[in-house]
Amino acid sequence: MKIRTLFLGLIAAGLSATAVAADPIVIKFSHVVAQDTPKGKAAEKFKELAEKYTSGAVKVEVYANSTLYKDKEEMEALQLGAVQLLAPSLAKFGPLGVREFEVFDLPYIFDGYEALNKVTQGPVGAQLLAKLEPKGIKGLAFWDNGFKSFSANTPIKKPEDLRGKKMRIQSSKVLEEQMREVKSLPQVMAFSEVYQALQTGVVDGTENPHSNLFTQKMHEVQKHMTLTDHGYLGYAVITNKKFWDGLPAEVRTQLDKAMVESTAYANQIAKEENDKALAGVRASGKTEVYTPTAEEKAAFKKALVPVHKKMESRIGAELIQSIYKETGFDPAKL
Ligand code: LMR
């Protein structure tokens, strides 16, 4: 401990880490997507910056693709202190007892990244992160991914085309309601199991931003995909509060800086990565990508927006209204 204190003192004094030897503080960062995604790349960026800014006093080990933990286990592991950083999708906080995060799953609530960022990078976002503290979790940032498309093995041009289909969803009650609204059968499933479930017909279809679909090769087992943009999928970067608060102040300052910069990076590359992935899906020739007409998109909106009202008692009418206020969304205008 004395050596570490000395070591940190040397860092604070601007000395090179190679000049001294001490055990670094290890931060395990676990996530479930491929490395070549907005979240995967941002996690690597955080590692690079955190190690650089602390001159090696911190070592970040990134475990991608559910290699360390799957969806449900990773939340438990964070609370137990077995892993120090996660970036779960906002749809996965309900089981933790923080239902408000499911507001991000409401269909069509965000018209694009600009509207979304008003919420995630503004006061509403900060209030949401603060709700994690009583659970022993500290919310550090929001990282973007993108807007979801429906996919299946038959064409999806109208809401009725989803009727009766078994659709994989993340563990969110809002997503469950969304699928019920179009009379499909929602199946909650860990991300790591989706490819196989689609391949073997355990489920018929799913919803994803393009980067997730493409990097998990789901397009190889889904013949049709429709650019509905019907919902958002993004992340909250979280840590174990006790761990974070227990870090030496100078280390935490450097990690905060690394987090701010990797957040800017994540949110800058998200759209580009999703556009690239969509181009990859198209080029593969395995999935027919359908762009709905304005009328068809309006029909999806009309069918799905009633989910907002139905989920009011779960998420909180006030929170939903505060998001409408930030983004200008008006359900009455559909
Ligand atoms: C999913 O389960 O579909 C996503 O939450 C995966 C992810 O982390 O993007």
Side-chain angles (χ1 to χ4, degrees):
M1 194 60 207
K2 264 190 193 148
I3 293 177
R4 181 182 282 183
T5 310
L6 169 70
F7 181 54
L8 294 170
L10 289 171
I11 289 162
L15 294 179
S16 148
T18 49
V20 286
D23 285 343
I25 299 167
V26 175
I27 293 184
K28 290 188 180 157
F29 189 163
S30 170
H31 68 80
V32 299
V33 295
Q35 219 171 332
D36 200 16
T37 56
K39 175 162 67 177
K41 288 189 169 181
E44 291 298 335
K45 175 63 85 183
F46 175 75
K47 171 185 167 67
E48 175 200 322
L49 296 176
E51 293 179 353
K52 182 170 131 196
Y53 293 157
T54 62
S55 306
V58 167
K59 184 168 182 288
V60 181
E61 294 173 357
V62 180
Y63 298 89
N65 254 326
S66 310
T67 44
L68 193 58
Y69 297 110
K70 294 187 196 174
D71 290 324
K72 205 166 147 272
E73 305 157 0
E74 67 174 19
M75 284 288 197
E76 288 159 10
L78 186 78
Q79 286 180 297
L80 292 171
V83 65
Q84 289 73 37
L85 270 182
L86 303 175
S89 143
L90 300 165
K92 292 175 182 167
F93 285 77
L96 196 73
V98 192
R99 300 165 167 189
E100 290 89 341
F101 279 61
E102 290 177 6
V103 76
F104 290 99
D105 298 329
L106 289 173
Y108 293 107
I109 193 164
F110 304 109
D111 199 19
Y113 286 101
E114 203 185 316
L116 165 80
N117 288 331
K118 281 189 187 153
V119 175
T120 51
Q121 311 307 319
V124 179
Q127 282 156 25
L128 283 168
L129 292 182
K131 289 192 187 297
L132 299 170
E133 303 234 343
K135 310 281 170 195
I137 292 176
K138 190 169 174 58
L140 298 171
F142 286 102
W143 284 0
D144 288 349
N145 189 343
F147 293 85
K148 293 179 287 186
S149 287
F150 286 121
S151 66
N153 280 324
T154 49
I156 307 160
K157 296 192 173 171
K158 49 188 190 308
E160 294 74 30
D161 293 334
L162 291 165
R163 197 171 279 180
K165 288 203 185 316
K166 284 178 277 168
M167 298 294 285
R168 181 270 170 174
I169 55 162
Q170 306 169 83
S171 59
S172 155
K173 294 289 175 204
V174 169
L175 298 180
E176 221 171 290
E177 185 58 38
Q178 170 197 274
M179 292 307 189
R180 294 230 161 86
E181 203 63 32
V182 290
K183 303 199 166 42
S184 66
L185 310 166
Q187 313 264 316
V188 174
M189 190 179 286
F191 187 63
S192 54
E193 288 159 21
V194 183
Y195 174 86
Q196 205 181 358
L198 290 169
Q199 190 186 36
T200 56
V202 168
V203 290
D204 302 311
T206 184
E207 54 166 14
N208 271 296
H210 316 313
S211 62
N212 277 355
L213 179 99
F214 185 61
T215 54
Q216 296 296 321
K217 299 190 172 25
M218 291 182 206
H219 61 292
E220 293 182 0
V221 287
Q222 293 279 265
K223 291 198 176 74
H224 295 271
M225 164 178 159
T226 301
L227 305 179
T228 40
D229 285 335
H230 62 278
Y232 172 70
L233 192 155
Y235 312 103
V237 186
I238 55 175
T239 185
N240 182 304
K241 185 169 157 42
K242 216 164 141 192
F243 166 77
W244 200 257
D245 291 347
L247 287 169
E250 61 275 31
V251 168
R252 207 171 42 241
T253 304
Q254 298 308 320
L255 294 183
D256 282 338
K257 185 173 157 205
M259 186 55 69
V260 167
E261 288 177 28
S262 37
T263 298
Y265 171 78
N267 298 351
Q268 178 213 316
I269 64 166
K271 182 170 186 311
E272 196 181 299
E273 288 296 316
N274 276 292
D275 288 350
K276 264 198 284 185
L278 179 59
V281 175
R282 288 189 201 273
S284 76
K286 307 231 182 228
T287 304
E288 193 170 314
V289 178
Y290 182 70
T291 307
T293 63
E295 289 76 26
E296 284 166 340
K297 205 154 177 188
F300 276 104
K301 273 195 188 170
K302 197 155 178 252
L304 293 175
V305 169
V307 172
H308 294 211
K309 194 86 197 141
K310 291 195 176 154
M311 287 287 110
E312 233 177 49
S313 58
R314 179 172 171 87
I315 296 169
E318 219 177 292
L319 175 60
I320 298 177
Q321 288 302 328
S322 69
I323 293 189
Y324 289 172
K325 206 168 145 222
E326 289 284 352
T327 64
F329 180 85
D330 183 356
K333 276 200 193 141
L334 293 179

